Amino acid sequence: MQSARVLSSNGCGPDTTVSGGRIVGVPVALLLLHDLRETYVTAHAAEIACVILGQAANAERDAELVASAEQGLEEAD
């Protein structure tokens, strides 16, 4: 198997390597924490997008779009 150096941009640190598709040298708990952080940020980005959409829909007085934005907010929570 080949192993390759991974840059720190993956959030795992400079001393990690990828071998056979697995990240080596990083505790599983840290990888799970990294995934949780990404999920949290993504969820909040979706919520913010729904708020912006709702504001635009209100400005345009588009009832159907307002309803869609409200539904998106409910699903984002």
Side-chain angles (χ1 to χ4, degrees), residues 2-37:
Q2 290 183 339
S3 62
R5 207 84 166 130
V6 176
L7 300 176
S8 61
S9 64
N10 68 0
C12 296
D15 295 330
T16 54
T17 58
V18 174
S19 176
R22 295 181 58 201
I23 297 176
V24 179
V26 179
V28 174
L30 289 180
L31 294 173
L32 291 172
L33 184 60
H34 183 264
D35 287 348
L36 180 62
R37 185 180 313 143

Side-chain angles (χ1 to χ4, degrees), residues 53-54 57-58 62-74:
L53 179 65
N58 282 329
D62 186 335
E64 185 178 344
L65 195 54
V66 168
S68 294
E70 288 174 355
Q71 180 183 359
L73 275 174
E74 290 173 10

Side-chain angles (χ1 to χ4, degrees), residues 43-56:
H44 279 279
E47 184 177 7
I48 290 169
C50 288
V51 168
I52 292 169
L53 179 65
Q55 292 295 320

